[in-house]
Amino acid sequence: MTDSTEFTVNLFKSYIMNHLFSSVPCPLEAIYKKIKEEIIKQEGRIQELENLEEAFFIVHEEITGKRPVPSRA
């Protein structure tokens, strides 16, 4: 795991923790889409998109115990 991937994993985890006690749940896929939109707004961020994808897989596996089927848009 690269430093950038680790940063993105921590970003996912902080989103999760911040919404843990919220009255409105925030699914992991929604967090993924929000971070992806922020990355896409910036040019030349291909590596960050790859890190986001890997971080999503890592966090999903930590939470559920299995890697997700890549079917997100």
Side-chain angles (χ1 to χ4, degrees), residues 2 5 20-21 28-29 33 39-40 43 49 51 55 61:
T2 65
T5 304
L20 191 60
F21 296 104
L28 193 57
E29 290 81 6
K33 287 179 182 179
I39 292 172
I40 290 174
E43 293 183 24
L49 287 173
N51 293 339
E61 187 171 19

Side-chain angles (χ1 to χ4, degrees), residues 6 9 20 35-36 45-46 54-55 64-66 69 71:
E6 185 175 357
V9 166
L20 191 60
I35 297 171
K36 184 176 181 179
R45 302 294 183 169
I46 301 301
E54 183 59 28
T64 65
K66 57 184 176 181
V69 177
S71 62

Side-chain angles (χ1 to χ4, degrees), residues 54-71:
E54 183 59 28
F56 176 83
F57 288 142
I58 290 169
V59 173
H60 188 282
E61 187 171 19
E62 285 181 5
I63 292 171
T64 65
K66 57 184 176 181
R67 290 185 64 94
V69 177
S71 62

